[in-house]
């Protein structure tokens, strides 16, 4: 069965636009609420993250789950009303608190106040992370710079390998993938308190590399077909290129997703969100390569007023190829 991507390109673009719009709305709401489109972790804003777990070996200590409202009352009483609080774990016996920098005495005082209200904590499972605000800003700046440099490098490479319009629509597809992933995590941040850390930047860079690889494969097939049939219809050529590479794209994406799903389900807590970002981004990347980058290139090459490439005629003439 042949997939007609060109015929239904308005549908593909509408789906992408709707998903991106939801993410953008979420980012606007998040910015209004917390001052950032995504909920930043300790890596970016600096401060102290304190994770405490109740000691369930003590009789009656874990009879009731921890209530976030109770933790918030204690934090407010201790002068940390603006802290981020999450109750984690299926049994809700663990709390994760992100607050301003705490030195040793203030941290001990806070732990004592929480223990008095919630129950005794297991000292062997206490986790404490502290990041200075300067380091946090530097990590954020370096992350954004690395994303911009990767986009620039891809534009230069594709411009030399193909043509400028190929490069432009490949970048459009990459921006699509980044916006879908960022928008999804903005929604998760609003609804579930999910935070993004430095690994999220790593995930975005990985998504960009994965997505552009799929796009290059399709564009290579388009270029090869144009070289053989320069008088052919651009829409038909793109449709054929997508269908010829479709099995390869699906198989590559599915085999990669199997590993990522395993990491998400059975990996450690620090890798779950990293794997989730890659899952969302890889699915978006496969979608954009097949349904966005290819259809936009065909639309651009066949828009009204665009001269279609034709071979020169006459003795001794040479073919004029569209991408040479």
């Amino acid at each position: 069965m042949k997939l007609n991507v060109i015929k239904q390109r308005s549908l593909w673009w509408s789906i992408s636009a709707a998903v991106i719009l939801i993410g953008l709305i979420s980012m606007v709401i998040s910015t209004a609420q917390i001052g950032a489109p995504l909920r930043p972790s300790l890596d970016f804003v600096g401060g102290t993250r304190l994770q405490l777990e109740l000691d369930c070996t003590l009789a009656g200590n874990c009879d009731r789950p921890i209530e976030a409202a109770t933790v918030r009352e204690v934090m407010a009483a201790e002068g940390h009303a603006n802290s981020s609080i999450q109750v984690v774990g299926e049994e809700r016996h663990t709390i994760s608190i992100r607050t301003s920098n705490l030195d040793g005495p203030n941290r001990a005082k806070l732990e004592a106040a929480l223990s008095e209200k919630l129950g005794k904590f297991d000292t062997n499972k206490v986790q404490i992370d502290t990041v200075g605000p300067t380091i946090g800003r530097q990590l954020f700046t370096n992350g954004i710079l690395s994303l911009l440099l990767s986009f620039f490098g891809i534009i230069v490479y594709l411009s030399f390998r193909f043509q400028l319009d190929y490069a432009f629509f490949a970048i459009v597809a990459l921006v699509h993938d980044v916006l879908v992933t960022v928008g999804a995590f903005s929604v998760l941040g609003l609804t579930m308190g999910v935070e993004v850390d430095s690994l999220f930047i790593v995930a975005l860079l990985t998504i960009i590399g994965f997505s552009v690889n799929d796009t290059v494969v399709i564009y290579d097939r388009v270029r090869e077909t144009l070289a053989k049939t320069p008088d052919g219809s651009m829409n038909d050529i793109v449709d054929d290129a997508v269908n010829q590479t479709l099995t390869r794209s699906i198989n590559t994406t599915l085999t990669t997703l199997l590993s990522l799903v395993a990491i998400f389900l059975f990996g450690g807590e620090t890798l779950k969100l990293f794997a989730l970002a890659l899952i969302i981004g890889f699915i978006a990347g496969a979608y954009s390569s097949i349904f966005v980058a290819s259809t936009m290139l065909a639309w651009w090459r066949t828009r009204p007023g665009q001269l279609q490439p034709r071979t020169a005629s006459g003795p001794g003439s040479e073919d004029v190829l569209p991408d040479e």
Side-chain angles (χ1 to χ4, degrees):
M1 184 181 69
K2 183 178 179 179
L3 180 64
N4 295 314
V5 292
I6 301 298
K7 186 177 181 181
Q8 296 179 305
R9 63 188 175 195
S10 296
L11 172 62
W12 316 132
W13 295 352
S14 297
I15 293 173
S16 294
V19 173
I20 291 173
L21 181 60
I22 292 172
L24 291 175
I25 292 173
S26 175
M27 284 187 269
V28 170
I29 296 173
S30 179
T31 302
Q33 290 185 359
I34 63 176
L38 298 172
R39 188 177 293 274
S41 73
L42 200 66
D43 288 0
F44 296 134
V45 297
T48 297
R49 185 181 70 88
L50 188 63
Q51 183 165 305
L52 304 170
E53 183 176 341
L54 292 176
D55 187 352
C56 293
T57 61
L58 301 177
N61 200 47
C62 295
D63 287 348
R64 294 180 302 171
I66 296 174
E67 297 293 337
T70 305
V71 180
R72 195 168 288 110
E73 290 177 4
V74 176
M75 297 298 293
E78 294 297 318
H80 305 289
N82 294 325
S83 302
S84 173
I85 300 167
Q86 281 185 280
V87 181
V88 298
E90 294 182 1
E91 298 179 348
R92 299 177 63 83
H93 291 156
T94 305
I95 54 173
S96 179
I97 300 169
R98 193 190 71 203
T99 186
S100 55
N101 282 320
L102 294 173
D103 55 19
N106 284 326
R107 188 169 61 243
K109 181 184 176 184
L110 178 60
E111 287 184 41
L114 289 168
S115 180
E116 182 181 352
K117 196 74 173 179
L118 303 174
K120 187 172 179 56
F121 296 111
D122 188 340
T123 55
N124 295 323
K125 296 183 179 179
V126 174
Q127 297 182 25
I128 303 169
D129 299 309
T130 300
V131 175
T134 302
I135 296 177
R137 285 194 297 270
Q138 185 178 357
L139 284 172
F140 177 77
T141 302
N142 290 342
I144 297 300
L145 180 61
S146 63
L147 284 174
L148 294 177
L149 286 176
S150 66
F151 276 118
F152 176 75
I154 290 169
I155 290 175
V156 172
Y157 169 73
L158 292 180
S159 298
F160 278 104
R161 177 160 182 172
F162 300 103
Q163 282 186 336
L164 188 58
D165 55 351
Y166 284 79
F168 176 79
F169 291 116
I171 291 298
V172 169
L174 295 183
V175 172
H176 166 280
D177 304 337
V178 170
L179 286 177
V180 168
T181 307
V182 171
F185 269 74
S186 179
V187 173
L188 291 173
L190 282 177
T191 57
M192 302 176 62
V194 171
E195 299 176 345
V196 296
D197 56 15
S198 54
L199 278 179
F200 185 71
I201 301 293
V202 177
L204 292 181
L205 291 169
T206 308
I207 290 165
I208 289 171
F210 181 88
S211 177
V212 76
N213 178 64
D214 261 358
T215 304
V216 166
V217 169
I218 294 174
Y219 280 177
D220 256 336
R221 190 57 56 89
V222 171
R223 185 175 62 171
E224 291 170 3
T225 309
L226 277 173
K228 295 176 182 177
T229 57
D231 284 327
S233 166
M234 187 64 180
N235 286 341
D236 291 339
I237 289 172
V238 170
D239 260 342
D240 290 340
V242 169
N243 280 277
Q244 289 167 15
T245 59
L246 186 61
T247 301
R248 178 242 178 233
S249 298
I250 292 175
N251 288 341
T252 302
T253 303
L254 284 180
T255 51
T256 307
L257 287 178
L258 288 175
S259 301
L260 292 175
V261 170
I263 294 173
F264 177 74
L265 294 177
F266 308 111
E269 289 295 326
T270 56
L271 291 178
K272 283 187 181 294
L273 293 181
F274 175 68
L276 179 60
L278 291 180
I279 290 171
I280 295 171
F282 283 10
I283 293 174
Y287 181 90
S288 67
S289 295
I290 297 170
F291 298 109
V292 177
S294 59
T295 56
M296 283 191 167
L297 178 65
W299 164 78
W300 177 257
R301 290 290 181 100
T302 59
R303 71 192 189 281
Q306 172 74 359
L307 294 176
Q308 297 300 307
R310 300 188 64 82
T311 53
S313 59
S317 63
E318 296 181 355
D319 287 346
V320 180
L321 300 183
D323 54 332
E324 296 292 324

